[in-house]
Short mmCIF file of all heavy atoms in Angstrom, two decimals:
data_model
loop_
_atom_site.label_atom_id
_atom_site.label_comp_id
_atom_site.label_asym_id
_atom_site.label_seq_id
_atom_site.Cartn_x
_atom_site.Cartn_y
_atom_site.Cartn_z
N LEU A 776 -49.77 -20.96 -156.28
CA LEU A 776 -51.05 -20.53 -155.71
C LEU A 776 -50.88 -19.24 -154.92
O LEU A 776 -49.91 -19.08 -154.18
CB LEU A 776 -51.60 -21.62 -154.79
CG LEU A 776 -52.22 -22.85 -155.45
CD1 LEU A 776 -52.75 -23.79 -154.38
CD2 LEU A 776 -53.33 -22.47 -156.40
N PRO A 777 -51.80 -18.33 -155.04
CA PRO A 777 -51.72 -17.10 -154.25
C PRO A 777 -51.88 -17.37 -152.77
O PRO A 777 -52.55 -18.33 -152.36
CB PRO A 777 -52.87 -16.24 -154.80
CG PRO A 777 -53.81 -17.21 -155.42
CD PRO A 777 -52.97 -18.33 -155.95
N ARG A 778 -51.28 -16.54 -151.97
CA ARG A 778 -51.32 -16.71 -150.53
C ARG A 778 -52.75 -16.67 -149.98
O ARG A 778 -53.05 -17.30 -148.96
CB ARG A 778 -50.48 -15.60 -149.87
CG ARG A 778 -50.34 -15.73 -148.37
CD ARG A 778 -49.58 -16.97 -147.99
NE ARG A 778 -49.56 -17.19 -146.55
CZ ARG A 778 -49.09 -18.28 -145.98
NH1 ARG A 778 -48.60 -19.25 -146.73
NH2 ARG A 778 -49.11 -18.40 -144.67
N GLY A 779 -53.63 -16.00 -150.69
CA GLY A 779 -55.00 -15.89 -150.22
C GLY A 779 -55.72 -17.21 -150.10
O GLY A 779 -56.63 -17.38 -149.28
N GLN A 780 -55.35 -18.18 -150.95
CA GLN A 780 -55.97 -19.50 -150.87
C GLN A 780 -55.65 -20.18 -149.54
O GLN A 780 -56.52 -20.81 -148.92
CB GLN A 780 -55.49 -20.36 -152.04
CG GLN A 780 -55.89 -19.85 -153.41
CD GLN A 780 -57.38 -19.90 -153.61
OE1 GLN A 780 -58.06 -20.83 -153.17
NE2 GLN A 780 -57.91 -18.89 -154.28
N TYR A 781 -54.41 -20.07 -149.12
CA TYR A 781 -54.02 -20.66 -147.83
C TYR A 781 -54.73 -19.93 -146.68
O TYR A 781 -55.22 -20.56 -145.73
CB TYR A 781 -52.51 -20.55 -147.64
CG TYR A 781 -51.71 -21.38 -148.63
CD1 TYR A 781 -51.34 -20.86 -149.87
CD2 TYR A 781 -51.31 -22.67 -148.32
CE1 TYR A 781 -50.61 -21.61 -150.77
CE2 TYR A 781 -50.56 -23.42 -149.22
CZ TYR A 781 -50.21 -22.89 -150.44
OH TYR A 781 -49.49 -23.64 -151.33
N GLU A 782 -54.78 -18.60 -146.76
CA GLU A 782 -55.40 -17.84 -145.69
C GLU A 782 -56.90 -18.08 -145.61
O GLU A 782 -57.47 -18.16 -144.52
CB GLU A 782 -55.12 -16.35 -145.91
CG GLU A 782 -53.63 -16.00 -145.79
CD GLU A 782 -53.36 -14.56 -146.18
OE1 GLU A 782 -54.29 -13.92 -146.74
OE2 GLU A 782 -52.23 -14.08 -145.93
N ALA A 783 -57.55 -18.25 -146.78
CA ALA A 783 -58.99 -18.53 -146.78
C ALA A 783 -59.27 -19.89 -146.15
O ALA A 783 -60.24 -20.05 -145.40
CB ALA A 783 -59.53 -18.47 -148.20
N ALA A 784 -58.42 -20.87 -146.46
CA ALA A 784 -58.60 -22.21 -145.86
C ALA A 784 -58.39 -22.16 -144.36
O ALA A 784 -59.13 -22.81 -143.59
CB ALA A 784 -57.62 -23.19 -146.51
N ASP A 785 -57.42 -21.39 -143.91
CA ASP A 785 -57.20 -21.25 -142.46
C ASP A 785 -58.37 -20.53 -141.79
O ASP A 785 -58.75 -20.86 -140.67
CB ASP A 785 -55.90 -20.47 -142.21
CG ASP A 785 -54.67 -21.27 -142.62
OD1 ASP A 785 -54.75 -22.52 -142.60
OD2 ASP A 785 -53.64 -20.64 -142.96
N ALA A 786 -58.94 -19.56 -142.50
CA ALA A 786 -60.07 -18.83 -141.94
C ALA A 786 -61.29 -19.73 -141.76
O ALA A 786 -62.12 -19.48 -140.87
CB ALA A 786 -60.42 -17.64 -142.83
N LEU A 787 -61.42 -20.77 -142.58
CA LEU A 787 -62.53 -21.71 -142.45
C LEU A 787 -62.33 -22.68 -141.30
O LEU A 787 -63.23 -23.46 -140.99
CB LEU A 787 -62.71 -22.48 -143.76
CG LEU A 787 -63.21 -21.67 -144.96
CD1 LEU A 787 -63.21 -22.53 -146.21
CD2 LEU A 787 -64.61 -21.12 -144.69
N GLY A 788 -61.15 -22.66 -140.70
CA GLY A 788 -60.86 -23.54 -139.59
C GLY A 788 -60.53 -24.97 -140.00
O GLY A 788 -60.67 -25.89 -139.19
N LEU A 789 -60.10 -25.17 -141.25
CA LEU A 789 -59.77 -26.51 -141.72
C LEU A 789 -58.44 -26.96 -141.15
O LEU A 789 -57.52 -26.16 -140.94
CB LEU A 789 -59.71 -26.54 -143.26
CG LEU A 789 -61.01 -26.20 -144.00
CD1 LEU A 789 -60.76 -26.22 -145.50
CD2 LEU A 789 -62.11 -27.19 -143.63
N SER A 790 -58.33 -28.26 -140.94
CA SER A 790 -57.05 -28.82 -140.51
C SER A 790 -56.07 -28.82 -141.67
O SER A 790 -56.44 -28.56 -142.82
CB SER A 790 -57.24 -30.25 -140.00
OG SER A 790 -57.66 -31.10 -141.06
N TYR A 791 -54.81 -29.13 -141.37
CA TYR A 791 -53.78 -29.08 -142.41
C TYR A 791 -54.11 -30.04 -143.55
O TYR A 791 -54.03 -29.67 -144.73
CB TYR A 791 -52.41 -29.43 -141.81
CG TYR A 791 -51.32 -29.58 -142.85
CD1 TYR A 791 -50.70 -28.46 -143.39
CD2 TYR A 791 -50.93 -30.84 -143.32
CE1 TYR A 791 -49.71 -28.58 -144.35
CE2 TYR A 791 -49.95 -30.97 -144.28
CZ TYR A 791 -49.33 -29.84 -144.79
OH TYR A 791 -48.37 -29.98 -145.74
N TRP A 792 -54.51 -31.27 -143.21
CA TRP A 792 -54.74 -32.27 -144.26
C TRP A 792 -56.02 -31.97 -145.03
O TRP A 792 -56.08 -32.20 -146.23
CB TRP A 792 -54.78 -33.67 -143.66
CG TRP A 792 -53.45 -34.10 -143.12
CD1 TRP A 792 -53.09 -34.27 -141.81
CD2 TRP A 792 -52.28 -34.38 -143.90
NE1 TRP A 792 -51.78 -34.65 -141.72
CE2 TRP A 792 -51.24 -34.73 -142.98
CE3 TRP A 792 -51.99 -34.38 -145.26
CZ2 TRP A 792 -49.97 -35.08 -143.39
CZ3 TRP A 792 -50.72 -34.72 -145.68
CH2 TRP A 792 -49.72 -35.06 -144.77
N HIS A 793 -57.07 -31.46 -144.34
CA HIS A 793 -58.28 -31.08 -145.08
C HIS A 793 -57.99 -29.90 -145.99
O HIS A 793 -58.46 -29.85 -147.13
CB HIS A 793 -59.39 -30.73 -144.09
CG HIS A 793 -60.06 -31.92 -143.50
ND1 HIS A 793 -59.65 -32.50 -142.33
CD2 HIS A 793 -61.13 -32.65 -143.92
CE1 HIS A 793 -60.42 -33.53 -142.05
NE2 HIS A 793 -61.33 -33.65 -142.99
N LYS A 794 -57.25 -28.92 -145.49
CA LYS A 794 -56.89 -27.76 -146.31
C LYS A 794 -56.09 -28.18 -147.53
O LYS A 794 -56.35 -27.73 -148.66
CB LYS A 794 -56.10 -26.77 -145.47
CG LYS A 794 -55.57 -25.58 -146.25
CD LYS A 794 -54.78 -24.65 -145.35
CE LYS A 794 -53.47 -25.29 -144.90
NZ LYS A 794 -52.63 -24.35 -144.11
N THR A 795 -55.12 -29.08 -147.32
CA THR A 795 -54.26 -29.51 -148.42
C THR A 795 -55.01 -30.36 -149.43
O THR A 795 -54.89 -30.17 -150.65
CB THR A 795 -53.06 -30.29 -147.87
OG1 THR A 795 -52.34 -29.48 -146.94
CG2 THR A 795 -52.13 -30.71 -149.00
N GLY A 796 -55.81 -31.32 -148.93
CA GLY A 796 -56.48 -32.25 -149.84
C GLY A 796 -57.68 -31.67 -150.56
O GLY A 796 -57.96 -32.08 -151.70
N LEU A 797 -58.37 -30.71 -149.94
CA LEU A 797 -59.60 -30.19 -150.53
C LEU A 797 -59.42 -28.88 -151.27
O LEU A 797 -60.21 -28.57 -152.17
CB LEU A 797 -60.66 -30.01 -149.43
CG LEU A 797 -61.09 -31.28 -148.69
CD1 LEU A 797 -62.08 -30.95 -147.59
CD2 LEU A 797 -61.67 -32.31 -149.65
N ILE A 798 -58.44 -28.09 -150.91
CA ILE A 798 -58.30 -26.75 -151.49
C ILE A 798 -56.97 -26.56 -152.22
O ILE A 798 -56.94 -26.17 -153.39
CB ILE A 798 -58.46 -25.67 -150.39
CG1 ILE A 798 -59.87 -25.74 -149.80
CG2 ILE A 798 -58.18 -24.28 -150.94
CD1 ILE A 798 -60.14 -24.75 -148.69
N ILE A 799 -55.87 -26.87 -151.55
CA ILE A 799 -54.56 -26.53 -152.11
C ILE A 799 -54.15 -27.46 -153.24
O ILE A 799 -53.86 -27.01 -154.36
CB ILE A 799 -53.50 -26.53 -150.98
CG1 ILE A 799 -53.92 -25.58 -149.87
CG2 ILE A 799 -52.14 -26.16 -151.55
CD1 ILE A 799 -54.14 -24.16 -150.30
N LEU A 800 -54.12 -28.76 -152.97
CA LEU A 800 -53.62 -29.70 -153.99
C LEU A 800 -54.45 -29.70 -155.28
O LEU A 800 -53.87 -29.71 -156.37
CB LEU A 800 -53.55 -31.11 -153.40
CG LEU A 800 -52.23 -31.51 -152.73
CD1 LEU A 800 -52.30 -32.93 -152.22
CD2 LEU A 800 -51.06 -31.34 -153.69
N PRO A 801 -55.79 -29.73 -155.21
CA PRO A 801 -56.53 -29.72 -156.49
C PRO A 801 -56.18 -28.54 -157.38
O PRO A 801 -56.04 -28.69 -158.60
CB PRO A 801 -57.99 -29.66 -156.02
CG PRO A 801 -57.98 -30.30 -154.66
CD PRO A 801 -56.68 -29.87 -154.05
N GLN A 802 -56.04 -27.35 -156.77
CA GLN A 802 -55.69 -26.18 -157.58
C GLN A 802 -54.25 -26.23 -158.07
O GLN A 802 -53.94 -25.86 -159.21
CB GLN A 802 -55.90 -24.91 -156.76
CG GLN A 802 -57.34 -24.67 -156.36
CD GLN A 802 -57.50 -23.35 -155.63
OE1 GLN A 802 -57.51 -22.29 -156.26
NE2 GLN A 802 -57.61 -23.41 -154.32
N ALA A 803 -53.34 -26.70 -157.22
CA ALA A 803 -51.93 -26.77 -157.60
C ALA A 803 -51.71 -27.75 -158.74
O ALA A 803 -50.95 -27.48 -159.68
CB ALA A 803 -51.08 -27.15 -156.39
N LEU A 804 -52.37 -28.90 -158.67
CA LEU A 804 -52.18 -29.90 -159.72
C LEU A 804 -52.77 -29.45 -161.05
O LEU A 804 -52.27 -29.81 -162.11
CB LEU A 804 -52.79 -31.23 -159.29
CG LEU A 804 -52.13 -31.90 -158.08
CD1 LEU A 804 -52.83 -33.21 -157.73
CD2 LEU A 804 -50.65 -32.16 -158.34
N ARG A 805 -53.86 -28.68 -160.99
CA ARG A 805 -54.42 -28.15 -162.24
C ARG A 805 -53.42 -27.24 -162.95
O ARG A 805 -53.35 -27.22 -164.18
CB ARG A 805 -55.70 -27.36 -161.94
CG ARG A 805 -56.88 -28.21 -161.55
CD ARG A 805 -58.08 -27.34 -161.24
NE ARG A 805 -59.21 -28.14 -160.78
CZ ARG A 805 -60.39 -27.62 -160.45
NH1 ARG A 805 -60.58 -26.31 -160.52
NH2 ARG A 805 -61.37 -28.40 -160.05
N LEU A 806 -52.67 -26.50 -162.19
CA LEU A 806 -51.73 -25.55 -162.78
C LEU A 806 -50.55 -26.23 -163.46
O LEU A 806 -49.91 -25.65 -164.35
CB LEU A 806 -51.21 -24.59 -161.70
CG LEU A 806 -52.24 -23.65 -161.07
CD1 LEU A 806 -51.60 -22.85 -159.94
CD2 LEU A 806 -52.82 -22.70 -162.12
N VAL A 807 -50.22 -27.45 -163.02
CA VAL A 807 -48.99 -28.09 -163.52
C VAL A 807 -49.30 -29.34 -164.33
O VAL A 807 -48.47 -30.25 -164.41
CB VAL A 807 -48.05 -28.43 -162.34
CG1 VAL A 807 -47.52 -27.17 -161.70
CG2 VAL A 807 -48.74 -29.31 -161.30
N ILE A 808 -50.47 -29.41 -164.94
CA ILE A 808 -50.79 -30.57 -165.77
C ILE A 808 -49.79 -30.74 -166.92
O ILE A 808 -49.30 -31.85 -167.16
CB ILE A 808 -52.24 -30.48 -166.30
CG1 ILE A 808 -53.23 -30.72 -165.16
CG2 ILE A 808 -52.48 -31.49 -167.42
CD1 ILE A 808 -54.68 -30.56 -165.57
N PRO A 809 -49.45 -29.68 -167.68
CA PRO A 809 -48.48 -29.87 -168.78
C PRO A 809 -47.13 -30.42 -168.33
O PRO A 809 -46.64 -31.41 -168.90
CB PRO A 809 -48.37 -28.48 -169.40
CG PRO A 809 -49.65 -27.81 -169.06
CD PRO A 809 -50.01 -28.32 -167.70
N PRO A 810 -46.46 -29.82 -167.31
CA PRO A 810 -45.18 -30.41 -166.91
C PRO A 810 -45.31 -31.80 -166.28
O PRO A 810 -44.40 -32.62 -166.39
CB PRO A 810 -44.62 -29.39 -165.91
CG PRO A 810 -45.78 -28.59 -165.45
CD PRO A 810 -46.72 -28.55 -166.61
N LEU A 811 -46.43 -32.07 -165.61
CA LEU A 811 -46.64 -33.41 -165.06
C LEU A 811 -46.68 -34.45 -166.17
O LEU A 811 -45.99 -35.47 -166.11
CB LEU A 811 -47.94 -33.45 -164.26
CG LEU A 811 -47.91 -33.00 -162.80
CD1 LEU A 811 -49.29 -33.07 -162.19
CD2 LEU A 811 -46.93 -33.84 -161.99
N VAL A 812 -47.49 -34.19 -167.19
CA VAL A 812 -47.61 -35.15 -168.28
C VAL A 812 -46.31 -35.23 -169.07
O VAL A 812 -45.92 -36.30 -169.54
CB VAL A 812 -48.80 -34.78 -169.19
CG1 VAL A 812 -48.88 -35.72 -170.39
CG2 VAL A 812 -50.09 -34.83 -168.40
N ASN A 813 -45.61 -34.11 -169.21
CA ASN A 813 -44.31 -34.14 -169.87
C ASN A 813 -43.34 -35.06 -169.12
O ASN A 813 -42.59 -35.84 -169.74
CB ASN A 813 -43.74 -32.73 -169.93
CG ASN A 813 -42.43 -32.67 -170.66
OD1 ASN A 813 -42.34 -32.99 -171.84
ND2 ASN A 813 -41.37 -32.28 -169.96
N THR A 814 -43.38 -35.02 -167.79
CA THR A 814 -42.54 -35.91 -166.99
C THR A 814 -42.99 -37.36 -167.13
O THR A 814 -42.16 -38.27 -167.21
CB THR A 814 -42.57 -35.48 -165.52
OG1 THR A 814 -42.25 -34.10 -165.42
CG2 THR A 814 -41.58 -36.27 -164.69
N PHE A 815 -44.31 -37.59 -167.16
CA PHE A 815 -44.82 -38.94 -167.37
C PHE A 815 -44.31 -39.52 -168.69
O PHE A 815 -43.86 -40.67 -168.75
CB PHE A 815 -46.35 -38.94 -167.37
CG PHE A 815 -46.98 -38.72 -166.02
CD1 PHE A 815 -48.31 -38.39 -165.91
CD2 PHE A 815 -46.23 -38.83 -164.87
CE1 PHE A 815 -48.90 -38.18 -164.68
CE2 PHE A 815 -46.80 -38.61 -163.62
CZ PHE A 815 -48.14 -38.29 -163.53
N ILE A 816 -44.39 -38.72 -169.73
CA ILE A 816 -43.96 -39.19 -171.05
C ILE A 816 -42.46 -39.51 -171.04
O ILE A 816 -42.02 -40.52 -171.59
CB ILE A 816 -44.30 -38.14 -172.13
CG1 ILE A 816 -45.81 -38.04 -172.32
CG2 ILE A 816 -43.62 -38.47 -173.45
CD1 ILE A 816 -46.25 -36.94 -173.25
N GLY A 817 -41.68 -38.63 -170.41
CA GLY A 817 -40.25 -38.86 -170.35
C GLY A 817 -39.90 -40.15 -169.63
O GLY A 817 -39.05 -40.92 -170.10
N PHE A 818 -40.58 -40.43 -168.53
CA PHE A 818 -40.26 -41.65 -167.78
C PHE A 818 -40.83 -42.89 -168.45
O PHE A 818 -40.29 -43.98 -168.27
CB PHE A 818 -40.76 -41.52 -166.35
CG PHE A 818 -39.85 -40.70 -165.49
CD1 PHE A 818 -40.20 -39.43 -165.10
CD2 PHE A 818 -38.62 -41.18 -165.10
CE1 PHE A 818 -39.36 -38.65 -164.33
CE2 PHE A 818 -37.76 -40.41 -164.33
CZ PHE A 818 -38.13 -39.15 -163.95
#
């Protein structure tokens, strides 16, 4: 994720957990769907 996403969340005054749960994690998990599912299949 670009640094701007973190800075935008901080600018909104969100707490760490709100920033992570509402902005950072949803975007991060979208980016890694292929390797996530590849790991699921392997296990």
Side-chain angles (χ1 to χ4, degrees):
L776 284 182
R778 185 65 186 172
Q780 296 294 323
Y781 294 88
E782 294 173 349
D785 291 333
L787 292 174
L789 298 178
S790 65
Y791 173 80
W792 293 110
H793 282 91
K794 175 181 69 175
T795 302
L797 298 177
I798 296 179
I799 304 303
L800 270 181
Q802 297 184 77
L804 295 179
R805 288 179 184 180
L806 295 175
V807 293
I808 288 177
L811 275 178
V812 176
N813 183 62
T814 307
F815 288 165
I816 291 174
F818 281 106

